[in-house]
Amino acid sequence: MEGFPILTVMTFLPLAGALLIMLVRAATAGSSEDTGSNAITAGLVISLATLVVSVAALTAFRPSVEGYQLVEETAWFGGISYKMGVDGLSIALIVLTALLMPFCFLASYSSVKERVTEYVVAFLILETFMIGAFCALDLVLFYIFFEAGLIPMFIIIGVWGGANRIYASFKFFLYTLLGSLFMLAAVIYMYMQAGSTDYTVLEGTAFGWDPESSPWGQPQTWLWLAFFASFAVKLPMFPVHTWLPDAHVQAPTAGSVILAGILLKLGGYGFMRFSLPMFPDASMFFQPMMFVLSVIAIVYASLVAWRQTDMKKLVAYSSVAHMGFVTLGLFSFTEIGVQGAVFQMLSHGLISGALFLVVGVIYDRVHTRDISAFGGLVHKMPVYAGLFMLFTMANVGLPGTSGFVGEIATMIGAFQASTWAAAGAALGVIFSAVYMLTLYRRTVFGEFNPDLQAKIDRGEISLPDAKPLELLSLVPLAIGVIVFGVKPSLIFDITEGASARMLALMGGG
């Protein structure tokens, strides 16, 4: 792979595919042929090609080699460069991104009927921006990819979302844009001070810390807060999480999968890649605040999830709670806590993506997500019920699933740093069992809902068990949840070097 720009190819392959689809669409304008399914098939093929390239990059990656690999660098202007590179953290998130995208297209065959070509193009462009953000080693380049991802997701929610899609899309856009403007100001300041936006130059001790001075008079403090404003909204952390449930409820199924599976991870990735290594002393100073906000997010979001009547909103609040474990582990500043946080991000991508696909399957049949409208689905859809059970248990953190590994590792790390924070997180685990098992009991167990039976008898709806395309999306995710739960070293071996390097930079701050 030496000399081959595999990261650039992987990043811009979806964008090139989107341009090709638009060219074909323009060339066939006016044709009577239905191109909807053809466009989704084209998007699926392009996303699979991107997955193949990402796996090739993972194969070329050497976990035992310290630092960044597959580095590509070209001077841009001033001290700013087009610099791409990966470590264990970024390559794992890139593969997760490339893995989830084909499932999004598989889930769209039956659910998307209008402006299908534009829908596919939006997702492919979004994939380019997400992968680019995980590869970027220059702050300006990262900011461009990070912010550009808002545009296709804004369009996806606003065009193909639910009844209140306009409100949800603007709320999502404004929250994330406002937070990121603070980060842009910090990047400009850092460039003016250091003369470079190369992350490898700025990490560690580029901005010193005087232990004799007030923390509020230190540049690190304010730079940390500027980056925090952006990453906290994206994650999202309490109390800037309110955009997420609205966005999830209104987004199409595939939009929710990417939103929960990947876009939220940009917040956790940002903390680990930028905030902690570049501003180590400020990160230490704000550790108590991060513990408080993490525990509040875990407990509060779990309690709110318990009272939801919409299946999708329940899973959305569950995501807020589970992202609380990520920040809890990262700011424990322990090896097992940081490793657990990274594992939690990857595991949550699989589990939350699967849960939103599960909700999408039943919504496509019944056209409602109201929990009270269901009951006894196991009698009509036993295979679906079995898969739903697996992902429910994984979300609860059942041993043997990937959900357990991430949660227990972050809590062990948190316990080493703060007993009360670990105790608060443990409450969240209990509450997650309450709301997820309540959801499963009310929708799957018991007698089959007579109102649904009446609609079936009148021919208004049908409830076939999981279809082949649905199984093609859900079964690989189920396998991943079990395999990584039984053998977590498959992930830990890849991410260990990145976690250790970050902690070393923290110690040198």
Side-chain angles (χ1 to χ4, degrees), residues 59-322:
T59 303
F61 180 78
R62 295 290 178 263
S64 59
V65 177
E66 185 179 353
Y68 301 100
Q69 302 178 42
L70 308 176
V71 176
E72 306 167 18
E73 184 173 11
T74 302
W76 197 0
F77 64 92
I80 302 169
S81 63
Y82 173 85
K83 187 172 184 179
M84 309 277 270
V86 294
D87 62 0
L89 172 63
S90 49
I91 193 65
L93 288 168
I94 287 167
V95 174
L96 176 64
T97 303
L99 176 67
L100 289 182
M101 193 60 70
F103 299 145
C104 292
F105 288 122
L106 287 173
S108 302
Y109 273 105
S110 60
S111 60
V112 180
K113 303 298 183 184
E114 298 179 353
R115 300 181 179 179
V116 181
T117 301
E118 292 85 349
Y119 175 89
V120 172
V121 166
F123 270 93
L124 290 175
I125 294 174
L126 178 60
E127 184 175 17
T128 282
F129 294 147
M130 292 187 297
I131 293 177
F134 291 131
C135 291
L137 289 181
D138 183 278
L139 292 182
V140 171
L141 186 64
F142 171 77
Y143 180 81
I144 291 172
F145 282 126
F146 186 82
E147 283 298 274
L150 294 179
I151 300 172
M153 182 53 73
F154 171 78
I155 294 172
I156 289 167
I157 298 173
V159 175
W160 294 278
N164 293 321
R165 59 186 180 273
I166 303 301
Y167 168 79
S169 61
F170 272 95
K171 189 174 183 180
F172 159 74
F173 188 88
L174 293 175
Y175 262 68
T176 49
L177 176 64
L178 180 61
S180 298
L181 290 177
F182 290 100
M183 181 172 69
L184 177 60
V187 170
I188 293 172
Y189 173 85
M190 294 165 73
Y191 175 77
M192 298 297 291
Q193 295 296 312
S196 173
T197 53
D198 186 330
Y199 167 70
T200 59
V201 174
L202 298 171
E203 65 182 355
T205 58
F207 296 90
W209 181 273
D210 183 4
E212 302 298 325
S213 301
S214 168
W216 299 106
Q218 313 261 10
Q220 253 199 56
T221 300
W222 298 102
L223 292 172
W224 188 95
L225 287 171
F227 277 78
F228 168 80
S230 180
F231 300 145
V233 171
K234 183 73 77 174
L235 195 61
M237 294 186 67
F238 176 89
V240 289
H241 66 285
T242 58
W243 64 267
L244 181 66
D246 292 318
H248 268 311
V249 168
Q250 299 304 320
T253 297
S256 292
V257 171
I258 293 300
L259 191 59
I262 306 300
L263 284 181
L264 301 191
K265 308 308 179 293
L266 280 169
Y269 174 81
F271 278 123
M272 184 172 175
R273 169 66 74 243
F274 301 106
S275 296
L276 275 66
M278 290 195 303
F279 319 119
D281 297 287
S283 297
M284 292 284 189
F285 174 71
F286 285 109
Q287 183 192 51
M289 180 191 78
M290 294 300 293
F291 276 170
V292 170
L293 293 178
S294 298
V295 171
I296 291 175
I298 293 170
V299 175
Y300 165 78
S302 296
L303 292 173
V304 174
W306 183 25
R307 304 308 301 165
Q308 295 306 307
T309 59
D310 185 297
M311 296 173 68
K312 217 175 185 186
K313 187 169 282 192
L314 184 149
V315 179
Y317 275 107
S318 172
S319 292
V320 176
H322 282 88

Side-chain angles (χ1 to χ4, degrees), residues 364-387:
D364 288 342
R365 287 160 171 73
V366 185
H367 308 298
T368 182
R369 294 185 298 266
D370 189 342
I371 298 173
S372 63
F374 299 99
L377 289 179
V378 67
H379 301 294
K380 299 287 186 179
M381 307 171 68
V383 175
Y384 169 85
L387 289 168

